[in-house]
Amino acid sequence: GILTVMSVERLEHSEQWRVRTFELDSNGHINNAVYLNYAEQVAVDHAESLSFGREWAESHHVAWAGSAHNVI
């Protein structure tokens, strides 16, 4: 298996984007599909920043998989 130990600081990651009007519904809420796109991009960017991006995943024959999401 793959075991990596890293500092808590490296486990935290944040980004900011400007929400575009076409990503909102008639109530001014972000569409769930758009929200998931944001979450996916943050996960990819974070993995890349930790050197666990596409190249690493391909060389270790692993991939991302989502099984569920909850919007509260």
Side-chain angles (χ1 to χ4, degrees):
I2 300 166
L3 177 62
T4 302
V5 177
M6 63 182 65
S7 68
V8 172
E9 294 82 23
R10 292 193 67 202
L11 296 177
E12 295 178 6
H13 183 85
S14 66
E15 297 185 23
Q16 292 184 358
W17 292 300
R18 184 178 304 274
V19 176
R20 298 166 292 189
T21 55
F22 65 85
E23 296 172 320
L24 303 174
D25 63 18
S26 60
N27 294 316
H29 301 130
I30 294 176
N31 180 292
N32 275 348
V34 172
Y35 172 79
L36 289 174
N37 287 338
Y38 289 170
E40 178 184 17
Q41 190 61 53
V42 169
V44 167
D45 293 347
H46 190 195
E48 289 286 349
S49 75
L50 296 171
S51 300
F52 293 117
R54 177 187 299 261
E55 197 172 294
W56 180 89
E58 288 176 351
S59 69
H60 287 82
H61 307 288
V62 297
W64 285 92
S67 61
H69 79 278
N70 297 305
V71 180
I72 300 173

